[in-house]
Amino acid sequence: MVRHSERSVRAPRLTRVAAALAVVSALTLSGCSSSVSGSTASTQPGELQGTLTIFAAASLTESFTELAAIFGSDHPDVTIAPISFDGSTTLATQIREGAPADIFAAADGATMRSVSDLLDGEAIPFASNSLQIAVQPGNPLNISELADLSAPGVQLVLCAPQVPCGATAQTLLDREKIVVTPASEELNVKAVLTKVQLGEADAGLVYVTDIAAAEAVEGINIPEADEAKSTYPLGILESSANPIVAEAFRDFVVSDRGQSVLSRYGFGRS
């Protein structure tokens, strides 16, 4: 059943019940294995059981919702808890404070490194993303390039600097020597997009994937965006109650099948 909503690295656990290896896909990019101590997953070949808890960056809302649905359909004895989607830094803070999770998918490497000591092995990159300018339908201010965001009267909304989309936006603006004064700074990319959709802002810098999945907004390409592309890493928490299922989900995400889903939502390969 699937219901939707929204750590220096320690050495991985070395113990593994041999039969559990048959559960995990051959594509094991991290080269690490985990202990099944405390796991609620089945150790029988081909069987996965228990609950999987996923924390994922807000920009992954649509794609991870579908990925979880497919994974749940493939493994009907796995219950996927409502996914926690939010700004990556918010999720990292919650993890450091003890929030239970099996999987953490962040929108940048810096945020993942902030919890690297809490991971079972290394996080692996699984997708990339870049920025677009979000404007209201019809682009009433005729915004056509990054420099237009600094024009007088343009109400610009950005992600806060500590949030991956905000750090990426600032990197891009700095490289192009563009100085802006945002009307507000939001804690996740969906909040920026909502401001534009509701007419509370003329423009916002958000990910390509968010505009592709949204209504009542248009996207303006930024030729320089690839200079500040974001790479998304995925890690398994050392405290995971279900490491076997977590590994299986990770391997599904990086598989050709999982990557095709991400591609449909506008994500690039990592």
Side-chain angles (χ1 to χ4, degrees):
M1 177 179 66
V2 180
R3 301 189 303 272
H4 309 300
S5 73
E6 179 98 31
R7 280 167 357 177
S8 90
V9 174
R10 290 185 181 177
R13 301 182 182 93
L14 300 178
T15 304
R16 165 68 72 223
V17 177
L21 293 174
V23 175
V24 186
S25 165
L27 180 57
T28 305
L29 299 187
S30 67
C32 302
S33 61
S34 302
S35 169
V36 296
S37 175
S39 171
T40 59
S42 168
T43 58
Q44 297 303 311
E47 296 180 1
L48 292 175
Q49 297 178 3
T51 298
L52 181 65
T53 302
I54 303 170
F55 278 27
S59 53
L60 293 166
T61 299
E62 294 80 14
S63 58
F64 262 50
T65 295
E66 181 171 343
L67 287 167
I70 296 171
F71 186 81
S73 178
D74 288 347
H75 305 287
D77 291 328
V78 172
T79 297
I80 301 180
I83 302 176
S84 295
F85 293 111
D86 209 330
S88 296
T89 52
T90 297
L91 296 174
T93 297
Q94 292 173 2
I95 289 170
R96 293 215 66 87
E97 292 176 349
D102 300 300
I103 290 280
F104 178 35
D108 70 345
T111 303
M112 186 63 74
R113 286 191 293 273
S114 74
V115 296
S116 63
D117 58 312
L118 303 180
L119 297 182
D120 182 15
E122 295 186 21
I124 61 173
F126 68 93
S128 63
N129 212 346
S130 55
L131 296 176
Q132 269 190 327
I133 303 170
V135 298
Q136 295 171 28
N139 191 11
L141 296 186
N142 294 316
I143 293 171
S144 62
E145 59 183 6
L146 207 58
D148 292 338
L149 302 180
S150 64
V154 174
Q155 295 291 304
L156 173 67
V157 179
L158 300 175
C159 289
Q162 69 269 26
V163 180
C165 61
T168 301
Q170 195 58 57
T171 295
L172 187 56
L173 291 166
D174 288 347
R175 287 183 179 180
E176 299 304 310
K177 296 179 172 55
I178 297 171
V179 178
V180 298
T181 304
S184 70
E185 295 180 333
E186 306 299 324
L187 292 180
N188 66 67
V189 70
K190 296 297 186 184
V192 173
L193 194 61
T194 298
K195 290 268 190 180
V196 178
Q197 289 174 309
L198 296 177
E200 297 175 3
D202 300 314
L205 283 174
V206 302
Y207 294 117
V208 169
T209 55
D210 294 291
I211 293 176
E215 298 179 353
V217 69
E218 292 183 11
I220 307 300
N221 288 327
I222 305 172
E224 308 87 358
D226 283 348
E227 298 175 12
K229 185 174 292 187
S230 298
T231 297
Y232 287 52
L234 184 153
I236 297 174
L237 277 299
E238 190 175 50
S239 60
S240 171
N242 217 337
I244 297 173
V245 174
E247 287 180 14
F249 181 78
R250 175 199 63 194
D251 294 344
F252 167 60
V253 171
V254 301
S255 71
D256 288 343
R257 191 175 174 206
Q259 290 292 299
S260 69
V261 172
L262 289 162
S263 178
R264 285 196 287 102
Y265 285 95
F267 289 94
R269 294 267 179 173
S270 58

